[in-house]
Amino acid sequence: MEKRRLGKTNFLVSVIGFGGIPIQRVSREEAIEIISAVKEAGINFIDTARGYTVSESLIGCGLEKHGRENFILATKSGKRDYNGILEELNISLKNLNTDYIDLFQFHNIKSLEELDFVMGDEGGLKALKEVKAKGIIKEIGITSHMPEVLDKAMDTGEFATIQCPYNPVERQAEEVFRKANKLDIGVIVMKPLAGGAIQNTDLSLRFITNNPNVTVAIPGMDSVKQVMENAKIGEKIIPLNEEERAILFQEAKELGTEFCRRCGYCMPCPQGIDIPSQFLMEGYYKRYNLKEWALDRYHAMEFRAKDCIECGSCEKKCPYNLPIREMLKRVDMLLER
């Protein structure tokens, strides 16, 4: 498995990492078997999150069985405040059966205002710097779907890594990745298969890992078979030929007609709907087979697809000309139950 230096962390990580979202739907025994396969395949980077229900706990079972020392472990929290981030860190340590975490990340910072709060006197960054000084975490990272948030975060000099969606459909972060490379900041690619929408798995992973500014891609996996298939891509990074590129980008083109990149330009919605999150939950329901989890998160939102009044203001702002109103109707029919 090819390994790359994760920026200034100096961690040498496998170019294909383990994405921890789907593992939450397998049994404890299956999870242990999957982590065993991860180790055998030469994958040493594992990414999970507090928000992935039992993902941390299941991975923790696998680490206990197959050796915490064999992995570079990353998790993340959606909390923004000082006390909240410490509370979640302690839960993660317990769930993962470890006394330290290699990379602790702020999960899905959605705006520059959120970033400013995180970095303020009452924000979580202060807390993480304190526990880092004690060795409880080794490095601090940030994830976002918004390249401009990551761009500003990198300028602060406080973050060792960034994580953002990147695949043949979602390429909006390429310039940010170039900047990260120059600043020696590690680049972690989430959604390498566009949330399961891309069917040409091997081609998409090869496209991503051939980008010299990418450190590690973390496709979600929930079976030994997926681990073995994805790991093969990292054994030898082979560039796409012209025919393969044509196949991959034709698929991307077809997806692009109604595929939300979560860029956020459609916001704010006059009705208060978090439009990108509607499509994110739809994807988790349909493509990740996390139906109950998606429904719980969807119904926890105060304003949902059902509240759309079809004013069309979102469509005027969408740079991809998506038929957002029709797409929201489909979300409503699928998830409003």
Side-chain angles (χ1 to χ4, degrees):
M1 172 71 68
E2 178 177 321
K3 290 185 171 61
R4 296 179 181 176
R5 179 174 162 274
L6 189 63
K8 63 189 72 173
T9 71
N10 284 324
F11 295 144
L12 287 178
V13 300
S14 51
V15 68
I16 300 295
F18 179 83
I21 292 180
I23 200 173
Q24 61 189 295
R25 59 175 172 244
V26 308
S27 68
R28 179 181 182 275
E29 291 71 25
E30 288 171 321
I32 292 172
E33 185 179 6
I34 288 168
I35 297 302
S36 175
V38 167
K39 177 183 173 183
E40 291 301 315
I43 295 173
N44 73 343
F45 184 80
I46 293 177
D47 179 272
T48 181
R50 285 289 309 115
Y52 301 163
T53 62
V54 296
S55 173
E56 284 184 332
S57 297
L58 290 172
I59 289 170
C61 292
L63 296 178
E64 185 177 28
K65 180 76 172 178
H66 299 293
R68 164 70 178 90
E69 70 279 2
N70 294 305
F71 302 98
I72 294 166
L73 185 58
T75 192
K76 42 197 182 288
S77 168
K79 297 291 186 180
R80 308 300 188 225
D81 63 297
Y82 182 98
N83 291 326
I85 205 82
L86 289 179
E87 180 182 355
E88 293 236 307
L89 169 60
N90 287 327
I91 295 171
S92 291
L93 290 167
K94 181 179 179 180
N95 287 345
L96 290 162
N97 289 315
T98 185
D99 56 5
Y100 73 97
I101 290 171
D102 298 292
L103 177 63
F104 199 85
Q105 304 158 97
F106 288 100
H107 194 181
N108 194 21
I109 301 291
K110 295 182 179 180
S111 68
L112 297 177
E113 290 74 22
E114 276 192 26
L115 177 63
D116 288 340
F117 178 82
V118 160
M119 301 190 66
D121 290 339
E122 298 179 2
L125 180 62
K126 180 180 178 182
L128 291 188
K129 290 172 75 171
E130 290 174 1
V131 294
K132 181 184 176 186
K134 298 176 182 177
I136 298 171
I137 65 171
K138 305 299 183 183
E139 301 290 348
I140 301 170
I142 182 172
T143 87
S144 180
H145 292 270
M146 310 292 288
E148 58 268 34
V149 169
L150 298 175
D151 186 73
K152 182 177 180 182
M154 290 191 295
D155 287 339
T156 69
E158 298 284 5
F159 301 99
T161 65
I162 61 171
Q163 184 176 150
C164 194
Y166 180 57
N167 53 65
V169 187
E170 301 175 275
R171 300 180 61 178
Q172 60 268 25
E174 286 184 335
E175 187 57 40
V176 168
F177 290 173
R178 280 190 283 270
K179 180 175 178 176
N181 193 353
K182 291 178 182 178
L183 294 174
D184 199 24
I185 291 173
V187 171
I188 304 165
V189 168
M190 60 168 144
K191 305 291 189 295
L193 305 177
I198 293 175
Q199 299 303 303
N200 285 293
T201 303
D202 290 5
L203 297 185
S204 187
L205 290 175
R206 283 170 56 197
F207 165 76
I208 293 164
T209 53
N210 268 284
N211 185 327
N213 301 315
V214 168
T215 313
V216 52
I218 50 170
M221 309 179 214
D222 66 355
S223 70
V224 170
K225 180 181 179 183
Q226 288 178 357
V227 171
M228 302 311 294
E229 289 176 349
N230 291 337
K232 287 179 182 178
I233 303 300
E235 293 175 2
K236 184 178 181 181
I237 308 302
I238 303 173
L240 297 176
N241 60 37
E242 300 248 345
E243 182 181 357
E244 291 169 330
R245 288 183 67 86
I247 292 170
L248 183 60
F249 284 102
Q250 179 59 36
E251 181 181 10
K253 183 179 179 181
E254 292 169 359
L255 283 173
T257 59
E258 292 194 11
F259 186 82
C260 175
R261 280 82 165 173
R262 299 177 293 281
C263 68
Y265 290 119
C266 58
M267 302 286 284
C269 167
Q271 298 303 109
I273 303 168
D274 184 341
I275 296 171
S277 291
Q278 309 302 296
F279 304 130
L280 183 61
M281 292 306 109
E282 178 190 32
Y284 282 133
Y285 185 96
K286 292 171 61 177
R287 296 191 291 270
Y288 274 97
N289 194 29
L290 293 169
K291 294 184 178 181
E292 293 304 317
W293 185 69
L295 285 171
D296 287 345
R297 291 176 67 120
Y298 177 76
H299 284 278
M301 299 178 192
E302 183 177 3
F303 303 105
R304 306 192 293 274
K306 69 178 180 61
D307 298 306
C308 175
I309 59 172
E310 300 189 53
C311 67
S313 66
C314 53
E315 293 184 3
K316 295 174 184 175
K317 294 180 285 186
C318 177
Y320 303 102
N321 298 313
L322 298 179
I324 297 175
R325 287 173 287 186
E326 289 301 315
M327 292 166 66
L328 286 173
K329 288 179 183 178
R330 291 200 295 270
V331 173
D332 182 21
M333 291 180 62
L334 180 69
L335 301 182
E336 201 60 51
R337 54 178 65 185

